[in-house]
């Protein structure tokens, strides 16, 4: 990568591929990969679901913000953030000032397909998943757009092909 201290932060809705694509992309960019939710679970010893159950979304977002402060202060990382990280202005400011932000844009149909068997996401536990995803998109999509340095619309292709295409787009943008 042209700047080895450049951080890349992936934002976008659940099911957009931040973690899956991020792992491949980090190898291509020779960056250390971190997943915000996974790191939070490692730090607390509790699942995201349990944190939501015990502390609610507000408690989870406080923990997420503290962890984001820690992780974004590192150099040479690719960070896959949680879908709701952008709901906090301080988080958006951290992302914008400490790295290159990529919004993995995806449609609700793609999310539903990718998340069809997922029972681990607290905000997806709703009777009407489609309406829940629409509601989240209405609130969050403008925040993703305004935070991102690069908006990447994922197409239906392999993870490897997507990572390579995104890699090229990032390098082109950073030159």
């Amino acid at each position: 990568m042209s700047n080895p201290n450049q951080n890349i932060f992936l934002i976008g809705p659940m099911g957009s591929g931040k973690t899956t694509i991020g792992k491949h992309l980090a190898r291509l960019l020779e960056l250390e990969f971190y997943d915000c939710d996974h790191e939070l679970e490692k730090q607390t010893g509790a699942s995201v679901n349990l944190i939501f159950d015990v502390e609610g979304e507000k408690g989870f977002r406080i923990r997420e913000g503290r962890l984001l402060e820690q992780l974004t202060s590192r150099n040479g990382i690719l960070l896959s953030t949680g879908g709701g990280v952008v709901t906090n202005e301080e988080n958006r400011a951290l992302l914008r000032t400490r790295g290159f932000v990529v919004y993995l844009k995806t449609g609700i149909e793609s999310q539903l397909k990718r998340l069809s068997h997922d029972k681990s996401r607290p905000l997806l536990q709703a009777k009407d998943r489609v309406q829940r995803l629409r509601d989240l998109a209405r609130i969050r999509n403008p925040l993703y757009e305004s935070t991102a340095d690069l908006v990447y619309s994922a197409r239906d292709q392999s993870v490897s092909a997507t990572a390579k295409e995104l890699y090229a787009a990032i390098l082109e943008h950073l030159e």
Side-chain angles (χ1 to χ4, degrees):
M1 189 166 165
S2 54
N3 177 0
N5 291 322
Q6 177 74 54
N7 292 325
I8 305 288
F9 305 135
L10 300 182
I11 61 172
M14 63 179 107
S16 62
K18 296 181 302 288
T19 299
T20 307
I21 294 165
K23 288 176 183 175
H24 288 265
L25 187 58
R27 282 194 291 275
L28 292 171
L29 292 167
E30 299 176 7
L31 297 173
E32 195 170 350
F33 176 79
Y34 291 94
D35 176 276
C36 211
D37 286 348
H38 181 73
E39 292 301 312
L40 187 59
E41 289 178 343
K42 269 180 27 182
Q43 266 190 10
T44 63
S47 70
V48 167
N49 267 345
L50 183 60
I51 296 168
F52 259 80
D53 286 347
V54 174
E55 300 179 6
E57 185 174 0
K58 184 177 179 182
F60 173 81
R61 296 290 170 214
I62 291 168
R63 288 180 181 274
E64 180 182 56
R66 279 191 230 130
L67 180 62
L68 190 68
E69 168 74 38
Q70 292 171 22
L71 291 173
T72 59
S73 68
R74 298 178 183 188
N75 287 320
I77 70 163
L78 188 146
L79 178 64
S80 167
T81 64
V85 74
V86 295
T87 59
N88 178 297
E89 174 55 43
E90 291 167 8
N91 292 348
R92 294 192 303 272
L94 281 175
L95 293 168
R96 282 192 292 262
T97 59
R98 294 185 174 179
F100 185 80
V101 183
V102 178
Y103 168 24
L104 293 182
K105 191 173 187 174
T106 190
I108 290 172
E109 300 76 27
S110 294
Q111 284 180 273
L112 285 169
K113 187 173 148 187
R114 292 179 188 142
L115 300 168
S116 63
H117 301 293
D118 193 314
K119 304 283 187 245
S120 68
R121 297 169 197 257
L123 292 180
L124 198 55
Q125 305 315 309
K127 287 181 183 175
D128 187 346
R129 283 181 159 205
V130 173
Q131 190 57 50
R132 174 62 58 90
L133 291 174
R134 280 189 186 131
D135 292 343
L136 290 170
R138 185 177 28 77
I139 294 164
R140 295 176 178 180
N141 286 356
L143 299 174
Y144 297 137
E145 292 273 352
S146 66
T147 305
D149 295 301
L150 173 66
V151 177
Y152 177 82
S153 294
R155 299 188 316 253
D156 282 333
Q157 57 186 3
S158 74
V159 171
S160 177
T162 301
K164 287 177 185 169
E165 192 175 86
L166 185 51
Y167 170 77
I170 290 169
L171 290 185
E172 181 181 316
H173 209 86
L174 291 176
E175 286 179 351

